[in-house]
Amino acid sequence: MRLLRGIGTLIALTVLCAALMLTLVAGPLRFIALNPAYLKTFVPSRDYCEEMRQRISDDLDHVAILYGLENGELTDLVTDDSIRAYTGTLIDALFAPENTDSLHLPSYPAERFAEYLREHSAYSDKAIEDFSEDCAAAVTEDLSAIDASLLISKFTTFRDSMFVNMLPILFGAGVALTILMCAIIRLLYVGTSKRAGSVLMWGGCFMGVTLVLVPVTQFLLFDYVGRLNITVSAFRTILSGLLYTVLYGWLIVLLALFLFVALFLTIAILRAARTKKK
């Protein structure tokens, strides 16, 4: 009987770990990495906007020099709110079903540049129009720098793949299988070894969470995103912003679940370790 229970426990623990790993990969991939609402909220952070403004400022300075303006004079015309708004448009375009090889993005509004030059110079209307269009084109190029045909086509292929379409099903199956394996482990020790069953159940959950948490944490600790072999550019800013947002969101979910499981595992161990009263 003990041998059969031991074999059953080993199988149940293995399946439990696999089910938790499936849940903790399919869930974040579907509800974080492929969730436009989440990305639009957290990608354009303060650091992202500041770095993007620096990239935009460098390009606007080239336009400013051509029209007799000083370096940095146009930087404040592109606000953090406008960067956030355009980034949201970019992310919506990434997930738009009609965009398969390239993104259909609007040009950055040119009116503010035209108003600024009109107030600070005596240029003709034609020159002001050309200036505003040049500035808007430079800003648009930076804010949509990720619009590379190869990258967009690869993302579209992944976005529309059968694997991605099945993520909600895989997530639900992982949750159901996790609950089932927990119940089986508890049933195997329903008699005099209930406390041992509780330790094994929470221990299996702990191992399953840790097997996903460790590589994600290592990926961030060693800063693999920051070590991408891409020159400093607006493209790098957008790509790293997307990757960091996904990874940190995934890490927060894993840490919360890890602390929850670790707490109940500790309680189960303490209860199992208590000696019986004489």
Side-chain angles (χ1 to χ4, degrees):
M1 183 63 183
R2 288 184 178 180
L3 178 61
L4 291 176
R5 185 166 62 182
I7 295 173
T9 301
L10 181 60
I11 295 173
L13 284 173
T14 303
V15 176
L16 175 59
C17 289
L20 264 174
M21 291 176 65
L22 175 63
T23 303
L24 296 176
V25 170
L29 189 57
R30 174 61 185 85
F31 300 110
I32 294 179
L34 297 175
N35 184 354
Y38 170 81
L39 295 176
K40 287 192 293 183
T41 302
F42 295 103
V43 167
S45 62
R46 180 181 299 177
D47 292 339
Y48 175 91
C49 291
E50 183 178 347
E51 188 174 343
M52 185 60 73
R53 277 163 60 86
Q54 182 60 49
R55 304 280 82 76
I56 292 171
S57 177
D58 293 341
D59 290 333
L60 286 179
D61 285 344
H62 295 299
V63 180
I65 292 173
L66 296 176
Y67 289 85
L69 301 177
E70 298 292 332
N71 285 343
E73 193 171 344
L74 304 176
T75 301
D76 293 337
L77 297 182
V78 181
T79 63
D80 288 355
D81 289 339
S82 62
I83 292 176
R84 292 188 184 97
Y86 201 94
T87 302
T89 303
L90 172 67
I91 292 171
D92 284 334
L94 276 173
F95 289 90
E98 64 272 14
N99 295 331
T100 55
D101 296 320
S102 62
L103 304 180
H104 303 291
L105 293 165
S107 296
Y108 187 84
E111 293 78 9
R112 196 167 185 181
F113 299 108
E115 292 175 2
Y116 182 84
L117 190 62
R118 191 174 290 113
E119 293 173 358
H120 294 81
S121 71
Y123 283 110
S124 65
D125 290 341
K126 176 59 177 173
I128 292 174
E129 181 182 355
D130 292 341
F131 167 78
S132 61
E133 289 178 354
D134 290 342
C135 290
V139 177
T140 302
E141 185 177 355
D142 284 331
L143 291 177
S144 61
I146 201 172
D147 188 11
S149 58
L150 179 61
L151 182 63
I152 300 304
S153 62
K154 292 295 184 182
F155 177 78
T156 300
T157 302
F158 176 70
R159 182 194 67 195
D160 299 333
S161 65
M162 183 180 296
F163 171 72
V164 171
N165 292 329
M166 290 185 63
L167 283 176
I169 299 174
L170 293 175
F171 175 72
V175 172
L177 194 57
T178 298
I179 295 173
L180 178 61
M181 289 302 104
C182 288
I184 289 176
I185 293 173
R186 294 303 297 268
L187 286 173
L188 287 172
Y189 294 86
V190 73
T192 58
S193 304
K194 288 179 63 177
R195 292 180 179 179
S198 180
V199 171
L200 287 168
M201 182 189 73
W202 289 111
C205 292
F206 183 86
M207 288 189 294
V209 174
T210 305
L211 287 172
V212 182
L213 176 62
V214 168
V216 173
T217 305
Q218 184 180 17
F219 201 91
L220 286 168
L221 286 177
F222 286 92
D223 194 22
Y224 288 116
V225 175
R227 291 159 62 182
L228 288 173
N229 189 21
I230 303 174
T231 57
V232 176
S233 60
F235 174 81
R236 181 188 176 93
T237 300
I238 297 173
L239 183 60
S240 61
L242 289 167
L243 293 176
Y244 275 127
T245 300
V246 171
L247 286 171
Y248 278 116
W250 195 3
L251 180 63
I252 289 171
V253 171
L254 290 171
L255 282 176
L257 192 57
F258 174 82
L259 293 174
F260 174 81
V261 172
L263 174 63
F264 279 89
L265 176 60
T266 303
I267 294 172
I269 291 173
L270 292 175
R271 290 185 60 193
R274 283 191 306 183
T275 57
K276 295 182 179 179
K277 293 181 179 180
K278 293 184 179 179

